[in-house]
């Protein structure tokens, strides 16, 4: 039975790294059955942000990474918040002290600071100096509890991707397990919960590798069986540094609000750590789940390439059925939200091939949904024509539109015939009409756009442009 978990800390915007780690855990659980737990690691009260948990739940739900156990989105919470489990951790700490695997420490911040300064002077790695290890302080006045890391020897553990990892105890600090505020640190709470929740496989970010020996020592002290660890390669900025806000958007909310589709983001994140074959870059979540094996996760740090994600998002947008794209657009764009259903559906074939992000809809299609005719720029006048001539030509085009049945193929033929009669290149006439109708130089195909816009609006805009030319 596979039991996996993701354990985000509610310290800010929901991080794309959380989506990445969740996806791999989700896939593992889907492939093998079992349970996928969402646990909120909220024991660091200094970094806690009240709105963060709800945002994490919302974005994981948006991505469709359903968890089997954990807090409900917008509903009452299952007991998977560490801040609600402090009694467990305190009891676990007492057990460790009795077993001689942990000890109380009442060193003041001033003393610890002095120790650190002296170590730095001697060019040693700063760490707790063991002052309280053998003092056997009684329970009572403010103290912390520290892990009693053996002075000699080493800890070896298996990583599913890297094999055996050995870390010498002299490089491992006597980690604080319980803080003086009564809250556990990450290390204690994680081990206690992973054990109690029956977690069998821990897929988490690579940055925790150096903490794992502390966790192994804890499992051993408690006499609990070890889970299997898989440390996933970190997402990286283009310069290979760990992905950071300064160099890349890192908030899942940003990706949603910027018009990315959840299926594209998942496909992209899967590619970061897994290969479905040499050239296979586009695949569904189902395909990923079926192919997924944790042992085959890549270990090289993947570069988070926003341009590639945009390309992939465009691929997914083009694959959507028009009615489904309309639904997504309504959720992503204020313009689409208020749009008439038929008009929105009629617009989709004009924009679907041209969008990399849902949010581009507004820029592409606003002229079809706004009431006012946008002011056409002066480039409206074709080369070699005067403004007055152009105004007269636009009015003849307006009359053509008035008589047309406004089916794209017919309207196009009618406008081409007019251009010929005017001694103009069709493309110059269509450009002038594009400016008149949209106020822009670049739009979806203009004849189709005019058919969507409708007779009245087209005629009014063409007339307004003619009038502005002083005709
Ligand atoms: N709260 C930790 C994080 O957000 C969990 C790490 C782990 O999975 O053990 O990275
Ligand atoms: Zn101490």
């Amino acid at each position: 039975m596979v039991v996996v978990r993701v354990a985000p800390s509610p310290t800010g915007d929901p991080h794309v790294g959380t989506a990445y780690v969740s996806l791999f855990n989700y896939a593992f659980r889907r492939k093998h059955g079992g349970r996928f737990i969402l646990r909120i690691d909220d024991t660091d009260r200094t970094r806690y942000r009240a709105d963060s948990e709800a945002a994490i739940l919302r974005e994981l739900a948006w991505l469709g990474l359903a968890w089997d156990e954990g807090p409900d989105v917008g509903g009452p919470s299952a007991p998977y918040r560490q801040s609600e489990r402090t009694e467990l951790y305190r009891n676990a700490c007492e057990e460790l002290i009795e077993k001689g695997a942990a000890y109380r420490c009442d060193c003041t911040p001033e003393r610890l600071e002095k120790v650190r300064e002296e170590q730095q002077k001697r060019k040693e790695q700063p760490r707790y100096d063991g002052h309280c290890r053998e003092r056997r302080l009684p329970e009572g006045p403010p103290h912390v509890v520290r892990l009693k890391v053996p002075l000699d020897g080493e800890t070896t553990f298996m990583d599913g991707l890297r094999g055996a990892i050995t870390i010498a105890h002299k490089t491992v600090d006597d980690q604080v397990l319980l803080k003086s505020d009564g809250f556990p640190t990450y290390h204690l709470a994680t081990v206690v919960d992973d054990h109690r929740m029956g977690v069998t496989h821990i897929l988490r970010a690579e940055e925790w590798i150096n903490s794992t020996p502390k966790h192994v020592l804890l499992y051993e002290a408690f006499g609990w069986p070890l889970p299997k660890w898989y440390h996933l390669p970190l997402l990286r900025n283009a310069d290979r540094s760990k992905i950071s806000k300064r160099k890349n958007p890192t908030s899942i909310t940003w990706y949603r609000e910027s018009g990315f589709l959840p299926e594209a983001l998942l496909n992209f994140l899967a590619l970061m750590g897994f290969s479905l074959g040499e050239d296979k870059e586009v695949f569904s979540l189902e395909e990923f789940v079926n192919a997924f094996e944790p042992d085959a996760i890549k270990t090289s740090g993947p570069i988070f390439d926003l341009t590639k994600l945009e390309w992939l998002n465009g691929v997914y947008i083009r694959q959507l059925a028009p009615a489904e794209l309309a639904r997504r657009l309504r959720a992503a764009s204020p313009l689409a939200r208020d749009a008439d259903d038929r008009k929105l559906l009629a617009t989709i074939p004009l924009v679907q091939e041209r969008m990399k992000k849902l949010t581009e809809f507004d820029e592409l299609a606003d002229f079809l949904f706004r009431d006012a005719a946008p002011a056409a720029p002066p480039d409206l006048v074709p080369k070699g024509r005067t403004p007055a001539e152009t105004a007269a030509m636009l009015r003849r085009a307006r009359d053509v539109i008035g008589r047309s049945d406004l089916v794209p193929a017919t309207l196009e033929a009618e406008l081409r015939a007019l251009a010929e009669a005017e001694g103009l290149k069709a493309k110059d006439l269509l450009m002038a009409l594009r400016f008149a109708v949209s106020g822009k130089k670049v739009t979806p195909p203009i004849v189709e756009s005019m058919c969507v816009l409708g007779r009245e609006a087209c005629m009014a805009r063409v007339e307004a442009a003619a009038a502005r030319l002083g005709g």
Side-chain angles (χ1 to χ4, degrees):
M1 164 96 142
V2 163
V3 181
V4 293
R5 70 357 176 231
V6 64
S9 298
T11 53
D13 291 336
H15 198 277
V16 66
T18 297
Y20 170 67
V21 172
S22 300
L23 170 62
F24 282 73
N25 278 286
Y26 171 89
F28 193 23
R29 177 257 175 263
R30 283 277 312 277
K31 179 88 182 275
H32 293 283
R35 291 181 287 139
F36 170 38
I37 296 169
L38 169 60
R39 186 176 71 219
I40 302 296
D41 274 14
D42 60 351
T43 54
D44 186 345
R45 303 318 281 177
T46 55
R47 295 178 59 217
Y48 178 77
R49 267 200 17 215
D51 51 353
S52 183
E53 177 186 317
I56 291 168
L57 303 191
R58 182 185 67 225
E59 303 309 354
L60 289 181
W62 171 69
L63 285 166
L65 298 176
W67 51 97
D68 303 295
E69 289 173 32
D72 290 335
V73 183
S77 163
Y80 289 104
R81 263 183 218 113
Q82 292 190 323
S83 61
E84 294 167 2
R85 299 163 63 84
T86 51
E87 171 123 16
L88 276 175
Y89 313 126
R90 276 197 288 268
N91 292 342
C93 243
E94 283 313 307
E95 186 183 332
L96 289 174
I97 293 170
E98 269 165 40
K99 289 180 158 159
Y103 60 93
R104 284 185 254 278
C105 160
D106 63 359
C107 293
T108 59
E110 292 74 28
R111 177 174 186 277
L112 295 174
E113 181 53 33
K114 250 183 54 206
V115 169
R116 197 171 314 133
E117 275 170 17
E118 279 161 20
Q119 288 169 336
Q120 264 156 6
K121 253 190 254 155
R122 294 196 299 268
K123 304 245 188 295
E124 289 169 14
Q125 188 190 336
R127 54 182 303 192
Y128 183 62
D129 66 349
H131 177 72
C132 298
R133 272 174 82 104
E134 307 304 337
R135 285 176 65 210
R136 296 178 196 287
L137 292 169
E139 216 176 325
H143 62 261
V144 302
V145 176
R146 290 181 184 274
L147 176 65
K148 199 168 185 180
V149 177
L151 296 173
D152 303 309
E154 57 198 26
T155 286
T156 297
F157 65 93
M158 292 302 288
D159 178 282
L161 309 180
R162 297 167 181 78
I165 296 179
T166 298
I167 295 183
H169 290 148
K170 61 176 189 295
T171 67
V172 182
D173 206 355
D174 277 3
Q175 177 67 51
V176 172
L177 301 174
L178 198 69
K179 294 174 274 187
S180 53
D181 64 2
F183 275 92
T185 57
Y186 157 74
H187 307 279
L188 176 68
T190 293
V191 169
V192 169
D193 279 347
D194 285 342
H195 172 70
R196 292 187 73 100
M197 295 176 180
V199 172
T200 56
H201 296 76
I202 297 182
L203 281 65
R204 67 176 166 206
E206 194 172 32
E207 60 193 315
W208 298 107
I209 286 182
N210 286 330
S211 298
T212 307
K214 296 172 188 171
H215 302 182
V216 172
L217 290 171
L218 286 170
Y219 277 101
E220 286 173 348
F222 285 119
W224 294 337
L226 298 178
K228 189 154 183 192
W229 282 280
Y230 295 85
H231 289 95
L232 308 181
L234 289 181
L235 304 176
R236 296 179 185 276
N237 300 310
D239 61 6
R240 305 205 62 81
S241 54
K242 174 183 164 182
I243 195 168
S244 63
K245 253 200 264 201
R246 256 182 331 114
K247 298 184 179 159
N248 239 318
T250 55
S251 155
I252 310 174
T253 308
W254 183 87
Y255 288 94
R256 178 171 52 77
E257 290 180 347
S258 300
F260 289 92
L261 302 182
E263 51 269 59
L265 184 55
L266 289 179
N267 187 157
F268 179 74
L269 290 173
L271 274 177
M272 296 280 93
F274 203 80
S275 170
L276 265 74
E278 192 77 348
D279 302 316
K280 190 146 176 73
E281 295 205 299
V282 183
F283 46 79
S284 68
L285 182 57
E286 291 313 304
E287 284 177 276
F288 175 57
V289 164
N290 289 330
F292 183 73
E293 272 313 329
D295 298 341
I297 295 171
K298 297 189 248 180
T299 48
S300 56
I303 303 280
F304 197 97
D305 177 356
L306 201 52
T307 315
K308 174 137 184 199
L309 173 57
E310 286 180 359
W311 164 77
L312 200 53
N313 204 55
V315 170
Y316 275 89
I317 287 179
R318 290 194 287 282
Q319 284 177 3
L320 291 177
E324 179 58 17
L325 178 51
R327 200 180 66 77
R328 307 280 187 118
L329 284 170
R330 284 193 193 281
S333 136
L335 186 71
R337 186 177 316 129
D338 304 328
D340 168 75
D341 224 24
R342 269 189 29 211
K343 192 165 181 181
L344 182 57
L345 273 175
T347 305
I348 288 205
L350 308 187
V351 296
Q352 188 159 14
E353 296 289 319
R354 291 174 175 73
M355 275 191 295
K356 288 209 177 83
K357 292 179 279 184
L358 296 174
T359 42
E360 287 163 6
F361 178 75
D362 292 40
E363 171 67 25
L364 281 166
D366 61 344
F367 73 99
L368 296 174
F369 293 90
R370 280 222 222 95
D371 287 339
D379 330 28
L380 177 67
V381 179
K383 250 207 210 92
R385 303 282 154 145
T386 66
E389 285 165 351
T390 306
M393 172 199 80
L394 283 173
R395 291 209 163 97
R396 283 190 286 278
R398 179 201 58 193
D399 294 342
V400 168
I401 295 165
R403 287 192 302 271
S404 172
D405 62 2
L406 288 192
V407 170
T410 339
L411 180 59
E412 168 125 26
E414 289 158 349
L415 290 172
R416 282 181 186 277
L418 173 65
E420 200 174 329
E422 298 281 328
L424 258 178
K425 285 191 194 127
K427 105 173 176 330
D428 287 340
L429 172 64
L430 291 177
M431 196 60 191
L433 285 171
R434 183 191 309 277
F435 274 127
V437 164
S438 73
K440 292 193 285 199
K441 192 169 178 165
V442 181
T443 65
I446 192 59
V447 173
E448 278 90 339
S449 297
M450 285 163 66
C451 294
V452 169
L453 190 58
R455 190 184 322 279
E456 240 170 274
C458 283
M459 290 175 73
R461 290 182 191 192
V462 173
E463 171 55 33
R468 272 194 304 270
L469 289 174

